[in-house]
Amino acid sequence: MTEVFFKFIRFCVVGFSGLLIDYSLTYLGKEKMKMNKYVANGIGFLCAATTNFLLNQYWTFEDKNPDDFTQFSQYLSIALIGLGINTLVIYLLVNKKDMNFYLAKLIAIGVAIIWNFTANYNFTFA
């Protein structure tokens, strides 16, 4: 149980770096490039997922799987499901609860991180 706890903490630290990437690219796309907010959100999320894969592979899970392509495909599949969860939560909070987009995005990240850690722990890096 302690091992899982420390992996979750490392996963969250990596996730925080991904949050910075995600928010930066989402803001750049939405506010500066005038992209649709959901497109900008998707770009930010997927770029963060890519950097997070590398950090999680080598640091969080200390994985030595030589088949990086298959493993990244699994990780990205989980991330895409997480993106769906993330986007649904944002949609519900912004359009149904009239919440600020960036606050809704923060909540959505919190919800998606539970899915992402559990699925990657049990599937990608098992």
Side-chain angles (χ1 to χ4, degrees), residues 45-46 49 73-86 115-116:
F45 187 89
L46 291 173
S73 297
Q74 293 168 338
Y75 188 89
L76 193 55
S77 295
I78 290 167
L80 288 171
I81 294 168
L83 174 60
I85 294 166
N86 180 287
W115 156 257
N116 287 332

Side-chain angles (χ1 to χ4, degrees), residues 37-119:
K37 62 187 166 192
Y38 297 109
V39 172
N41 180 61
I43 290 169
F45 187 89
L46 291 173
C47 288
T50 301
T51 59
N52 284 1
F53 167 74
L54 295 170
L55 292 171
N56 279 317
Q57 182 185 42
Y58 293 107
W59 185 55
T60 304
F61 297 102
E62 299 173 2
D63 191 87
K64 306 289 190 251
N65 186 338
D67 191 359
D68 288 338
F69 180 77
T70 299
Q71 197 169 43
F72 180 69
S73 297
Q74 293 168 338
Y75 188 89
L76 193 55
S77 295
I78 290 167
L80 288 171
I81 294 168
L83 174 60
I85 294 166
N86 180 287
T87 303
L88 177 63
V89 171
I90 290 171
Y91 173 81
L92 292 173
L93 293 175
V94 169
N95 294 312
K96 303 297 182 188
K97 298 292 184 185
D98 199 32
M99 187 179 284
N100 172 276
F101 175 78
Y102 292 104
L103 179 58
K105 184 169 175 60
L106 185 62
I107 293 168
I109 289 169
V111 172
I113 198 169
I114 295 166
W115 156 257
N116 287 332
F117 177 77
T118 302

